[in-house]
Amino acid sequence: MKFHPFVIPFIAGVVFLLILIVFRLKQWLKGLDRKQHFFVKQNFLSLKTLYAIVEVFRESLLHFKIYRKNPVLGYMHMSLAFGWFMLIVFGKVKSVLYAGSFFEPMWLSIFFNFFVTSNEPYPYAAVMTFLMDFFLLIVLSGLLIAFVKRIYSRLVGMKKTTKHILIDRIALVALWGIFPLRLFAEASSSALYENGGFLTAGVAQMFSENFASIVELPLWWAYSLSLSIFFFTLPFSRYMHIPAEVVMIFLKKWGVKTNEHHSGFTNIQLHACAKCGICIDACQLDFAASQKNVQSAYFIGDARYNKLTEDVVNNCLMCGRCHEACPVGIELTMIRQQYRNKKEMPGKLYYNYVDLNGYHANVDIIYYAGCMTHLTPGIIISMKKIFQAAGMSYWFMDEEKGVCCGRPLRQQGFVQQAKDLVHKNLRMIHGANAKLLVTSCPICYVSFKEEYALQIPLMHHTEFIESLIDDKKISLESKAITAVYHDPCELGRNAQIYDAPRNVLKHLNLKTSKCEKNNGLCCGSSLSNAVLDLDHQIKVRDNALNVLLEKNPDVLVTACPMCKKAFTHGHKVAVMDIAEVVAKHLNEVKTKKQLSEKPEMITFAK
Amino acid sequence: MTAVDVLVIGGGPAGLESAYSLANNGYDVAVLEKEKNICGHLNQAHSLFPNFQNASEVRSAMIDKMTHPKISIHNDTEAIRIKRDIDKWGVETGSGKEFMAPALLLATGFKSFDPKYKEELGYGIYDNVITTTQFEAMCQKGSIVSPHGQKVKRIAFLNCVGSRDEKVGNHYCSRVCCINAVKQSIEAKKVLPEADIYCFYMDIRMAGQFYEELYRKSQEVYNVNYIRGRISEVSPTIDKRLHVKCEDTLSQTPMKITFDILVLMTGIEASLGTVALGQQLNISGEYNFAKSLSLHMADNYSSHKGLFLAGTCKRPLTLPEAVADARSAAGEIKNYLKTLKQ
Ligand code: SF4
Ligand code: SF4
Ligand code: SF4
């Protein structure tokens, strides 16, 4: 049997790694909640598994998503992952061809060139040797980029790269050692046994036979050791992302979703983070407000190693830019939310003084402005004007009395209190028996959509206005005003409403901005960051304003009362909500429609 | 090109008072006023705190002083560019005129905070939300009416609008609005004895002579209600009055009251002229007010030789303070011109 003591460290590493991965996998799966378990069981033996395999191939090996964001970075990841994978695959094929059996010792493929000299021919030897060298070259080229990236990250289009902890560094050094050591070990063997391909034999030219015989064994030892160190450190380092991402992809394809509770799926995602640092570049708190160490890469790392601080958990706008950018697809904002959620119920709700005792029956529409919209009465007045022009009967649910939709509380982790509010509002909404709920606030919109089991359709006023225009209930005068539309985080990334506002604003000269749609910026006033002080909120705001105003629009249009207020205080441009723009440019209605009579108030039985 | 001894930019109380004082000392003074009329914000005042003196008396006294032969008043004349030669200041105006003098006094004053930036208060949206200046005009006419013709039964005054408010970027106290609200609430009571008057405040700052007494009197004699809390939200009622939401922070009760008129006690900000010229001259300080050389030792001096400062272009001041500051500036200018001659 082909054996040499230097393979022992390698074998030990592989065995250790496998045991640990199996152990971790069991833990993770045990940590899934009932619903998540259900999905795994349900879809385990379905076509979805096949899709997952394809996805693993695309993302864990070829890294398409990263490639699309940044080709150099994509190539780097692809060459390392895919290249190595191919080395393993063809290594195996090669040793099977040589041994004539599938059950050759597993180290044979890894240390093939030490054990098999050119005197022992096997089928397709030349092709195999070529392929092995070719993929080794690919891996080495990726390694070179990785090395340069460490020193000069802008080469791969990144401003920041993550800081690493000790175990990561050890693993990194080991990983970086593996392939050059393999190259030189194979080259020294090639110098002695002439079994190298174009690359290894080429390098072997530099080795005299004498020199090769001295360095050969130490090089193979070093190669085995670096593999071993890498395998031993992998489960505790960021490289755990390799197996974790694969697991995550399978679970996602099977339908497992991140919810607001911490679970085994959270742990899988924490480990699936490659610490690539792409999310750091996406975060305005980093590039506009110099808040360091709070970005998702750090947050996930801290959560994984159990050293999260309140500040890291809370100092986040929940804008979702990082989530959008993360090539692995980790649900970053939802996971942060899980860590914000209070375990016990701190204090009672303070809303008992509002007695919400009834609802209006028989209206088409319930209009819920939202607390923030009450601070921008211009939006409310405009909405009233639009309802009037379209001739629709509506009940303004929170006109005089009303409670919050609950989302700001929920984002601060007060889940129980938020649920109380949801309950209060739901009673009124469903009591009214209306056909549609319209809100002016994207925060409320997301809240209604995700946290209320609504039995009637829901629209943000951008969608509602769009439908009024489509149905020819209202029409707008064309104006020669240049405008830029700002996508509010909640309406954009959280609710995916991008086209409705743009369709509505067609009557203006609408210009695009550099950061649009899912790349939209945060206005800085996000209610979900309760720790960022005003000075820094202003930095985020001004950064966004600078980008939005690059084309010098006459008016900046948004669709969120918070964004409107924030940008207005920037004193740089006229800021209007989309409802205000529409109300201002409404074409005169020819036949004044009669509003249905104001319906009667119905009181809940005590 | 008009050459004088002293050029005064700004024909408000501070500018006029220093001009008069300098003229009395034998200097030729030119006052550049961007508006049609001199006297600045005093033109919008009906009565003055804390003694209810009629503002028109003070105005006519000021205008009388301006008949001094050594004073030339230039209305509708906005200083646009300031140039400095050795020992000489030149001013170009918007209308293309040029002025020259060895000493220049900046008395460009303040402007009121624009409450549109606090949209939740409904200014510019509901027409019965008005500013303190508009309320003063009502007092001047002697009739306090709601724009919708209803009988005015309840009036609210809201303090600190645009002052002490980090959201709008003004952290400072404007100093005059508390006492002005006390004065205006008494004026309101004088016109409408039946009406309920509420004043919403964060702190009541009564640091001037007779202020505290007036505050007390407003409660004891005029029954003005003071509520410690900021108004968070204003919305219309069906009959176009105003629903005001706030919290009485002393009793920790949220409240909602209906008012006929809401008066916003808008704060003091550096005027546009103060901002523009201050930046041109590189003497803009905090919140764009003009910065004096030394608060305690050379408050009428700027960092430039021959450029002096007076009044509210430096910071919020009451009328007597601004006028006193103007006289002190005149004294410093006199000394400066003397040293130049030597
Ligand atoms: S969270 Fe995503 S983007 Fe951020 S470092 Fe981890 S893998 Fe990269
Ligand atoms: S959600 Fe926004 S603020 Fe929070 S870490 Fe991600 S990019 Fe930064
Ligand atoms: S004087 Fe009174 S009302 Fe004016 S800013 Fe100061 S505290 Fe507020």
Side-chain angles (χ1 to χ4, degrees):
Chain A
M1 189 170 68
K2 306 268 184 194
F3 179 80
H4 190 280
F6 72 66
V7 305
I8 293 173
F10 162 74
I11 296 172
V14 171
V15 171
F16 176 82
L17 180 62
L18 286 178
I19 293 175
L20 237 104
I21 288 183
V22 170
F23 174 73
R24 275 283 166 80
L25 192 62
K26 265 188 80 178
Q27 261 189 335
W28 289 338
L29 295 180
K30 224 176 85 191
L32 296 185
D33 65 27
R34 266 169 77 201
K35 219 167 158 191
Q36 293 169 333
H37 263 298
F38 169 79
F39 280 116
V40 174
K41 280 202 199 112
Q42 172 106 347
N43 296 322
F44 184 62
L45 288 176
S46 72
L47 213 57
K48 293 190 169 130
T49 307
L50 208 67
Y51 296 148
I53 294 172
V54 176
E55 172 91 2
V56 166
F57 202 77
R58 289 169 59 97
E59 294 311 328
S60 295
L61 291 177
L62 297 177
H63 291 96
F64 277 176
K65 274 194 203 135
I66 306 187
Y67 186 83
R68 245 173 272 138
K69 276 202 178 104
N70 179 325
V72 182
L73 199 65
Y75 175 79
M76 180 189 109
H77 281 91
M78 186 277 283
S79 58
L80 286 171
F82 183 65
W84 197 357
F85 178 73
M86 293 316 267
L87 279 178
I88 296 170
V89 172
F90 284 112
K92 183 74 193 170
V93 173
K94 189 162 96 167
S95 45
V96 170
L97 285 173
Y98 166 75
S101 135
F102 195 78
F103 299 101
E104 34 68 64
M106 78 166 174
W107 59 84
L108 180 61
S109 67
I110 310 294
F111 304 100
F112 193 87
N113 285 14
F114 178 80
F115 293 117
V116 182
T117 67
S118 56
N119 304 330
E120 302 173 75
Y122 57 94
Y124 305 110
V127 181
M128 283 298 143
T129 315
F130 170 80
L131 281 175
M132 293 302 277
D133 269 24
F134 174 71
F135 284 111
L136 183 59
L137 185 65
I138 299 258
V139 174
L140 285 169
S141 68
L143 204 63
L144 189 72
I145 302 177
F147 187 71
V148 175
K149 170 181 168 241
R150 272 285 119 194
I151 298 161
Y152 183 63
S153 56
R154 278 192 193 257
L155 174 85
V156 290
M158 288 179 63
K159 295 189 196 85
K160 303 273 160 46
T161 186
T162 43
K163 291 171 234 148
H164 290 317
I165 55 171
L166 185 65
I167 189 99
D168 284 346
R169 288 201 192 157
I170 298 174
L172 180 81
V173 171
L175 176 66
W176 284 8
I178 290 172
F179 298 99
L181 286 170
R182 175 175 180 147
L183 173 69
F184 289 120
E186 289 186 345
S188 63
S189 295
S190 164
L192 296 172
Y193 324 123
E194 287 163 16
N195 59 355
F198 68 93
L199 180 66
T200 37
V203 176
Q205 301 281 308
M206 300 188 298
F207 289 32
S208 71
E209 207 158 314
N210 212 350
F211 178 71
S213 63
I214 299 172
V215 294
E216 190 202 12
L217 258 183
L219 279 170
W220 283 109
W221 266 102
Y223 173 47
S224 172
L225 274 169
S226 63
L227 279 169
S228 173
I229 294 174
F230 182 64
F231 292 156
F232 270 103
T233 47
L234 184 144
F236 314 103
S237 74
R238 69 185 177 116
Y239 297 100
M240 190 63 189
H241 79 86
I242 302 165
E245 188 186 349
V246 173
V247 177
M248 188 189 94
I249 290 176
F250 274 96
L251 291 182
K252 273 198 177 172
K253 281 279 177 242
W254 289 334
V256 174
K257 291 207 169 57
T258 318
N259 55 33
E260 60 182 14
H261 303 291
H262 191 281
S263 71
F265 194 41
T266 311
N267 283 330
I268 294 170
Q269 296 188 62
L270 295 185
H271 285 86
C273 165
K275 284 204 191 170
C276 65
I278 288 178
C279 55
I280 304 177
D281 279 353
C283 180
Q284 280 165 283
L285 287 186
D286 180 80
F287 65 79
S290 56
Q291 304 288 296
K292 302 294 169 196
N293 302 326
V294 300
Q295 286 69 27
S296 285
Y298 301 114
F299 160 73
I300 294 283
D302 289 355
R304 180 176 163 186
Y305 293 108
N306 271 326
K307 45 177 203 177
L308 260 185
T309 57
E310 289 269 302
D311 190 56
V312 172
V313 175
N314 292 325
N315 197 353
C316 167
L317 301 160
M318 302 290 237
C319 68
R321 282 176 58 81
C322 51
H323 179 186
E324 198 71 33
C326 173
V328 182
I330 303 173
E331 306 236 12
L332 297 165
T333 22
M334 191 48 112
I335 293 180
R336 206 183 280 253
Q337 185 62 55
Q338 293 173 351
Y339 282 89
R340 283 187 179 187
N341 289 346
K342 307 265 184 286
K343 301 280 172 299
E344 67 283 351
M345 187 176 167
K348 285 274 310 168
L349 205 59
Y350 180 54
Y351 290 88
N352 296 333
Y353 67 91
V354 202
D355 79 286
L356 301 170
N357 51 5
Y359 53 86
H360 277 109
N362 307 321
V363 282
D364 297 336
I365 294 167
I366 303 176
Y367 175 55
Y368 181 93
C371 317
M372 289 308 138
T373 314
H374 277 281
L375 301 183
T376 49
I379 299 179
I380 293 180
I381 291 222
S382 306
M383 284 308 292
K384 287 184 173 175
K385 212 173 140 188
I386 293 167
F387 284 126
Q388 173 90 33
M392 306 207 122
S393 72
Y394 66 99
W395 167 44
F396 189 165
M397 173 175 153
D398 59 340
E399 178 159 31
E400 284 176 24
K401 287 174 194 165
V403 292
C404 165
C405 68
R407 187 159 165 87
L409 273 171
R410 190 178 285 260
Q411 285 186 320
Q412 295 308 321
F414 296 93
V415 182
Q416 194 51 50
Q417 285 86 339
K419 282 191 179 145
D420 283 1
L421 295 180
V422 170
H423 180 74
K424 273 181 199 277
N425 281 325
L426 263 186
R427 202 157 85 122
M428 298 191 13
I429 294 171
H430 287 156
N433 209 8
K435 296 188 198 76
L436 176 68
L437 173 62
V438 176
T439 176
S440 282
C441 174
I443 305 170
C444 306
Y445 179 85
V446 173
S447 179
F448 287 144
K449 200 168 120 190
E450 285 172 6
E451 283 133 28
Y452 287 57
L454 277 184
Q455 287 158 19
I456 56 170
L458 163 73
M459 277 186 175
H460 181 260
H461 71 226
T462 44
E463 298 173 291
F464 177 66
I465 293 170
E466 187 195 28
S467 74
L468 290 182
I469 296 175
D470 286 350
D471 298 349
K472 309 234 163 15
K473 292 220 166 88
I474 58 169
S475 64
L476 304 180
E477 275 177 89
S478 284
K479 296 271 172 187
I481 298 172
T482 56
V484 162
Y485 175 73
H486 162 74
D487 289 282
C489 300
E490 293 272 19
L491 198 66
R493 278 178 296 269
N494 278 347
Q496 299 285 319
I497 297 181
Y498 295 122
D499 296 334
R502 291 176 170 82
N503 291 340
V504 169
L505 294 173
K506 271 181 191 152
H507 70 294
L508 302 181
N509 177 6
L510 192 63
K511 298 253 190 253
T512 52
S513 78
K514 210 165 61 196
C515 293
E516 285 221 315
K517 300 193 174 172
N518 60 354
N519 188 26
L521 294 164
C522 175
C523 71
S525 274
S526 164
L527 287 177
S528 41
N529 193 332
V531 294
L532 191 70
D533 64 22
L534 193 79
D535 290 347
H536 291 95
Q537 289 178 20
I538 288 175
K539 288 192 176 149
V540 174
R541 173 196 80 196
D542 286 347
N543 165 263
L545 270 178
N546 285 342
V547 174
L548 289 163
L549 302 185
E550 258 167 18
K551 292 189 182 152
N552 258 319
D554 301 323
V555 55
L556 176 61
V557 184
T558 182
C560 167
M562 289 303 289
C563 300
K564 184 192 171 196
K565 270 187 101 67
F567 289 140
T568 306
H569 286 158
H571 291 256
K572 289 208 174 95
V573 67
V575 185
M576 287 174 96
D577 186 272
I578 193 161
E580 294 174 298
V581 174
V582 169
K584 203 170 162 194
H585 302 155
L586 273 179
N587 270 326
E588 263 329 305
V589 201
K590 301 245 162 54
T591 46
K592 257 249 155 45
K593 287 174 203 129
Q594 195 61 45
L595 270 185
S596 57
E597 230 168 84
K598 186 134 196 178
E600 214 184 314
M601 183 84 179
I602 302 194
T603 325
F604 289 120
K606 281 266 145 70
Chain B
M1 159 83 66
T2 316
V4 286
D5 296 320
V6 185
L7 263 174
V8 176
I9 304 182
L16 299 183
E17 187 67 24
S18 13
Y20 181 67
S21 178
L22 285 160
N24 264 346
N25 279 287
Y27 295 105
D28 283 320
V29 189
V31 178
L32 312 184
E33 168 56 49
K34 71 174 173 24
E35 301 291 334
K36 207 159 82 227
N37 297 314
I38 52 169
C39 292
H41 291 277
L42 198 53
N43 286 318
Q44 292 153 349
H46 163 58
S47 67
L48 303 173
F49 60 78
N51 58 1
F52 293 88
Q53 180 170 14
N54 202 320
S56 63
E57 288 170 28
V58 181
R59 271 197 302 269
S60 7
M62 270 184 192
I63 292 166
D64 275 355
K65 286 179 182 173
M66 292 307 108
T67 53
H68 196 292
K70 288 205 151 296
I71 300 180
S72 60
I73 301 277
H74 303 264
N75 300 99
D76 289 319
T77 306
E78 184 175 3
I80 298 288
R81 249 162 55 110
I82 298 184
K83 290 180 299 185
R84 164 136 209 227
D85 290 339
I86 318 149
D87 289 341
K88 280 268 188 255
W89 290 90
V91 172
E92 271 175 34
T93 71
S95 45
K97 282 189 258 180
E98 277 184 51
F99 294 85
M100 177 89 86
L104 182 65
L105 176 67
L106 205 65
T108 40
F110 73 95
K111 78 167 169 44
S112 294
F113 171 77
D114 180 355
K116 280 203 184 116
Y117 284 105
K118 292 203 69 71
E119 194 183 333
E120 63 269 34
L121 299 176
Y123 181 76
I125 296 175
Y126 314 121
D127 37 17
N128 34 1
V129 180
I130 61 174
T131 64
T132 168
T133 317
Q134 289 168 301
F135 186 77
E136 198 69 15
M138 285 188 181
C139 297
Q140 178 78 37
K141 278 200 218 138
S143 82
I144 298 172
V145 286
S146 140
H148 304 293
Q150 288 127 333
K151 193 169 163 220
V152 176
K153 291 194 214 125
R154 223 179 267 147
I155 303 176
F157 289 87
L158 173 61
N159 284 10
C160 299
V161 176
S163 312
R164 306 177 68 199
D165 183 346
E166 63 165 14
K167 283 267 156 73
V168 301
N170 292 340
H171 293 246
Y172 57 92
C173 164
S174 293
R175 297 182 64 240
V176 302
C177 12
C178 271
I179 180 65
N180 198 20
V182 171
K183 186 213 83 174
Q184 291 194 325
S185 52
I186 294 177
E187 291 279 14
K189 253 333 221 199
K190 284 181 184 164
V191 180
L192 300 169
E194 302 292 305
D196 289 332
I197 312 292
Y198 286 76
C199 183
F200 297 88
Y201 68 96
M202 291 202 284
D203 300 286
I204 287 283
R205 300 193 161 169
M206 292 292 145
Q209 194 183 22
F210 307 126
Y211 289 11
E212 188 65 28
E213 290 83 341
L214 197 66
Y215 171 44
R216 211 180 151 132
K217 194 168 158 190
S218 71
Q219 299 172 72
E220 287 175 355
V221 180
Y222 292 98
N223 277 322
V224 176
N225 303 295
Y226 288 89
I227 294 176
R228 185 171 180 278
R230 273 183 121 145
I231 292 177
S232 58
E233 206 182 299
V234 178
S235 55
T237 62
I238 295 172
D239 55 353
K240 297 197 167 165
R241 294 158 79 212
L242 298 166
H243 261 323
V244 162
K245 263 195 204 165
C246 83
E247 183 187 340
D248 181 345
T249 55
L250 292 182
S251 63
Q252 296 203 346
T253 23
M255 25 199 280
K256 193 154 188 183
I257 316 179
T258 310
F259 288 100
D260 299 290
I261 296 179
L262 167 62
V263 184
L264 306 178
M265 304 307 295
T266 46
I268 287 180
E269 288 184 331
S271 72
L272 297 179
T274 301
V275 178
L277 297 181
Q279 279 168 359
Q280 205 180 108
L281 292 162
N282 211 1
I283 53 165
S284 264
E286 296 246 289
Y287 307 105
N288 281 322
F289 284 110
K291 197 165 139 198
S292 71
L293 192 58
S294 157
L295 179 61
H296 295 292
M297 298 183 305
D299 195 29
N300 294 113
Y301 287 85
S302 71
S303 51
H304 302 292
K305 218 172 131 220
L307 175 68
F308 297 84
L309 313 173
T312 50
C313 67
K314 291 186 289 186
R315 65 192 74 102
L317 296 171
T318 63
L319 179 60
E321 285 166 348
V323 170
D325 188 55
R327 284 185 210 113
S328 118
E332 302 285 17
I333 295 172
K334 200 173 88 187
N335 291 340
Y336 172 74
L337 290 175
K338 271 191 193 150
T339 54
L340 271 192
K341 283 224 175 91
Q342 278 160 15

